[in-house]
Amino acid sequence: MDLTLSSLVAAFATTFVLVTFLYKLLRHKEVSPKIPEPGFAWPIIGHFHLLAGNDRVPHKVLGDLADKYGPLFQMKMGAHQVLVVSDSQTARQCLNANDRALAGRPKAIASEHIGYNYANFGLGSNTPFWRDVRKVVVLELLSNRRVEALRRFRESEAKTFVQDIYRTWARDKINESNVVKLDMKEWFGKLIIDSMLHLLFGHRYEEVGGWVKEVFRRNFELLGMFIVGDYLPWLRWLDIGGYEKAIKENTKEMDRVMEDWLQEHKRNRNSKSKEEEDFMDALLSQFVSNTDILNGFDADTVVKATCTAILAASTDTTSATLTWALSLILNNDNILEKIQGELDNNVGRERHVNESDLSNLIYLQAVIKETLRLYPPGPLLMPHESTEDCMINDYRIMKGTRIWINASKIHRDSSFWSDPNAFKPERFLTKYKEIDFRGNNFELIPFSSGRRMCPGMSLALQSVQLGLANVIHGFDIKRVSDELIDMTEAFGLSVSKATPLQVLLTPRLPSHLYL
């Protein structure tokens, strides 16, 4: 009898504990927040169809979804879960509070080929190799010390740029009106590519600039595409759309030229003085003497991968920002006159703009800041991947989740920015004066933030400010007609202007400054 009673008590106690556990588990499941998700997922491919083949740029498609499902929602992209972030507070959670956990980069077909099997530090994940290569790049090219040391080089490039435009004007001007018609999208591309080729490899635009423009623009297009094999790996072998074939062909052409330059630098290393060395020379010295950095790669591969990373990141993005800035200026009355007035007051008309002038050009800085707000170089920041479980806004984010941060949507958030779609540089002289893009104000993150923030921000800003200041100081510029300039965005990882920027120019400085 006692045994039966004991058995009943034990059974009752066990049942009670089990029921209590199940109740709490089910109750927790009911109240546990679930991340919003668009309802029109297809079997197997999930939400892939919303982006692949869409005739609208991805950041706008995702922005519309954010309006419906909120600033944080998830999508099933084939075999992968993707978290889409569209507000500054959640971006802060990702890039600050969870900076370490979300510092990974997802693997992708384009990254694999273009990045030399992830020897490209910008496309690789958060590893000691990535950190070591990044330190070398900052030391040799992007540190404040190096940026300042290269000041005269950038000033010389900007002056040559203005003189080249003047020579074209003198040759091709329309006699009756004394103006020349130019595509400034092409000219800005030439300025940045020429500067970076000289800085990185000792070459000039006239030698290989056209090739660089085409190959690296294509790279950005391919890196920004939604390729089926990235999201449905078991279908990669089919190469639907032929994208992997195109990537391989483009990469083969890129590597052929990089290999030629590398061998040229190896042959000439001992005949160069320290002052004559370029970035590729510096990398050769660093990686040949410090093989511990290489993480199993050979030194040649890391040199080529690092140089292509810098060249790709600096050319298309910087020239696109210059193009967007001038387009916005010409589409908005009186902005050009205000910039020229500031330049005349601080520089005058008897010399070119120097970098020492830039800190006094407060209105020009506001124009560039507003340009980066409306047209960030990468409207969708480079994707992140969680390397461990973490919490974002009370949601549990599992290891392996991909994170897309929609900077374009954040920059146009009407709950923070007044009249968010309007071009108003003055906002950064008044209400938003303290807002900056150096990674602390998450309402404005054109260069991202945290440990994966763009290390070339200072160099890019100097190039944009100096290039824009010199062309506006040196020329009166007008639209070719009364119609506003077309602001259609092209597809790609870096979103550039889809159409040319045709303008009419005439010199506004004394002729001896152009000679």
Side-chain angles (χ1 to χ4, degrees):
M1 180 119 180
D2 290 339
L3 184 61
T4 304
L5 181 59
S6 298
S7 299
L8 287 172
V9 170
F12 178 82
T14 302
T15 303
F16 177 82
V17 171
L18 183 60
V19 169
T20 302
F21 173 77
L22 290 172
Y23 171 78
K24 288 183 177 181
L25 182 65
L26 292 171
R27 184 173 179 271
H28 176 72
K29 189 174 181 180
E30 287 176 3
V31 301
S32 178
K34 183 179 179 182
I35 305 175
E37 181 177 309
F40 22 84
W42 289 5
I44 303 177
I45 69 170
H47 299 98
F48 188 81
H49 64 287
L50 297 179
L51 296 171
N54 199 311
D55 60 357
R56 299 179 66 219
V57 285
H59 61 275
K60 291 189 175 179
V61 175
L62 295 172
D64 289 346
L65 290 172
D67 289 338
K68 186 173 182 179
Y69 296 99
L72 180 67
F73 63 92
Q74 66 180 353
M75 302 174 69
K76 189 175 186 303
M77 295 289 288
H80 302 288
Q81 287 292 334
V82 174
L83 198 68
V84 182
V85 175
S86 305
D87 74 314
S88 59
Q89 290 306 310
T90 310
R92 183 186 297 275
Q93 284 281 308
C94 294
L95 302 175
N96 187 311
N98 290 291
D99 181 26
R100 184 182 183 86
L102 302 182
R105 288 272 191 251
K107 292 186 179 296
I109 293 170
S111 299
E112 177 185 319
H113 293 295
I114 294 170
Y116 288 87
N117 199 26
Y118 305 102
N120 179 321
F121 78 107
L123 301 175
S125 203
N126 179 23
T127 62
F129 170 74
W130 165 75
R131 291 191 291 273
D132 288 340
V133 174
R134 191 179 190 276
K135 287 177 184 176
V136 171
V137 171
V138 170
L139 174 68
E140 298 294 346
L141 184 66
L142 303 175
S143 66
N144 290 334
R145 175 186 62 82
R146 287 292 292 155
V147 170
E148 176 58 27
L150 294 167
R151 178 173 60 86
R152 291 186 182 279
F153 165 79
R154 290 189 298 276
E155 290 175 347
S156 175
E157 292 289 315
K159 181 179 178 181
T160 301
F161 174 62
V162 169
Q163 292 171 338
D164 285 347
I165 293 177
Y166 179 83
R167 281 192 286 270
T168 301
W169 169 82
R171 185 191 67 214
D172 299 338
K173 63 184 177 181
I174 303 169
N175 291 329
E176 312 86 71
S177 56
N178 212 35
V179 298
V180 66
K181 182 179 178 180
L182 296 179
D183 178 5
M184 289 307 297
K185 180 180 174 182
E186 289 293 316
W187 277 87
F188 283 140
K190 180 182 177 182
L191 167 66
I192 301 304
I193 292 172
D194 190 47
S195 297
M196 294 309 298
L197 283 175
H198 191 192
L199 190 61
L200 299 181
F201 311 106
H203 287 285
R204 305 307 310 216
Y205 186 91
E206 288 74 15
E207 301 170 41
V208 287
W211 169 85
V212 169
K213 180 183 68 175
E214 293 303 322
V215 169
F216 283 90
R217 180 61 203 160
R218 183 60 173 155
N219 274 354
F220 269 98
E221 289 175 359
L222 294 166
L223 282 165
M225 286 180 175
F226 292 93
I227 299 174
V228 172
D230 283 333
Y231 299 95
L232 299 171
W234 53 89
L235 294 180
R236 177 174 175 174
W237 65 278
L238 287 173
D239 190 20
I240 297 171
Y243 294 120
E244 185 161 10
K245 180 182 178 182
I247 291 166
K248 287 179 178 179
E249 291 174 352
N250 207 58
T251 302
K252 184 178 180 180
E253 176 64 15
M254 178 185 74
D255 182 65
R256 181 186 64 79
V257 175
M258 284 292 164
E259 181 65 25
D260 287 345
W261 291 348
L262 179 65
Q263 297 307 321
E264 174 192 353
H265 278 70
K266 284 184 172 183
R267 289 192 299 270
N268 298 332
R269 277 185 72 196
N270 295 330
S271 62
K272 286 184 178 181
S273 67
K274 188 68 176 176
E275 291 72 25
E276 292 175 313
E277 286 187 353
D278 53 42
F279 183 65
M280 184 172 264
D281 290 317
L283 289 186
L284 277 168
S285 298
Q286 286 280 354
F287 295 140
V288 169
S289 62
N290 189 2
T291 56
D292 292 341
I293 294 176
L294 300 177
N295 193 39
F297 295 107
D298 64 88
D300 287 2
T301 297
V302 177
V303 170
K304 290 188 291 185
T306 305
C307 286
T308 56
I310 298 298
L311 186 60
S314 60
T315 51
D316 204 56
T317 54
T318 309
S319 60
T321 298
L322 282 163
T323 303
W324 288 124
L326 187 58
S327 301
L328 288 164
I329 289 166
L330 296 178
N331 272 352
N332 290 269
D333 294 337
N334 304 320
I335 300 290
L336 183 65
E337 289 79 4
K338 289 180 181 179
I339 299 173
Q340 288 180 331
E342 183 178 61
L343 286 162
D344 290 346
N345 288 335
N346 288 280
V347 180
R349 296 201 187 190
E350 291 299 324
R351 64 177 177 87
H352 292 286
V353 181
N354 295 320
E355 283 200 4
S356 58
D357 299 311
L358 297 179
S359 60
N360 297 320
L361 304 178
I362 307 302
Y363 189 73
L364 178 72
Q365 292 177 21
V367 166
I368 292 170
K369 196 179 285 189
E370 180 73 337
T371 300
L372 290 168
R373 185 185 72 82
L374 289 173
Y375 294 93
L380 285 178
L381 301 184
M382 285 286 289
H384 291 241
E385 185 174 85
S386 57
T387 57
E388 57 188 67
D389 293 357
C390 62
M391 298 295 293
I392 298 177
N393 291 359
D394 297 326
Y395 298 116
R396 178 165 292 281
I397 308 304
M398 306 303 292
K399 179 181 178 180
T401 301
R402 300 182 175 194
I403 316 294
W404 295 347
I405 299 177
N406 193 343
S408 178
K409 186 67 173 176
I410 293 170
H411 292 181
R412 297 176 185 241
D413 185 354
S414 59
S415 67
F416 182 83
W417 301 101
S418 56
D419 203 1
N421 295 315
F423 181 68
K424 294 184 176 181
E426 290 78 8
R427 75 172 79 238
F428 289 108
L429 305 177
T430 53
K431 181 178 178 181
Y432 303 97
K433 186 177 181 179
E434 303 304 319
I435 300 296
D436 210 337
F437 41 56
R438 298 185 181 274
N440 296 316
N441 300 115
F442 290 85
E443 295 81 10
L444 187 65
I445 48 173
F447 300 100
S448 190
S449 181
R451 68 188 65 208
R452 297 312 295 247
M453 185 174 182
C454 175
M457 179 185 66
S458 294
L459 181 61
L461 286 174
Q462 293 294 90
S463 300
V464 169
Q465 291 176 9
L466 193 62
L468 189 63
N470 269 282
V471 76
I472 290 177
H473 183 237
F475 301 94
D476 283 316
I477 311 171
K478 297 179 180 179
R479 301 195 302 262
V480 295
S481 70
D482 291 335
E483 294 184 9
L484 293 178
I485 292 167
D486 178 16
M487 302 296 280
T488 303
E489 297 168 298
F491 284 83
L493 187 65
S494 170
V495 175
S496 61
K497 189 174 178 296
T499 55
L501 173 55
Q502 299 283 356
V503 301
L504 301 175
L505 291 95
T506 186
R508 66 186 295 270
L509 300 177
S511 59
H512 69 271
L513 290 178
Y514 301 101
L515 302 176

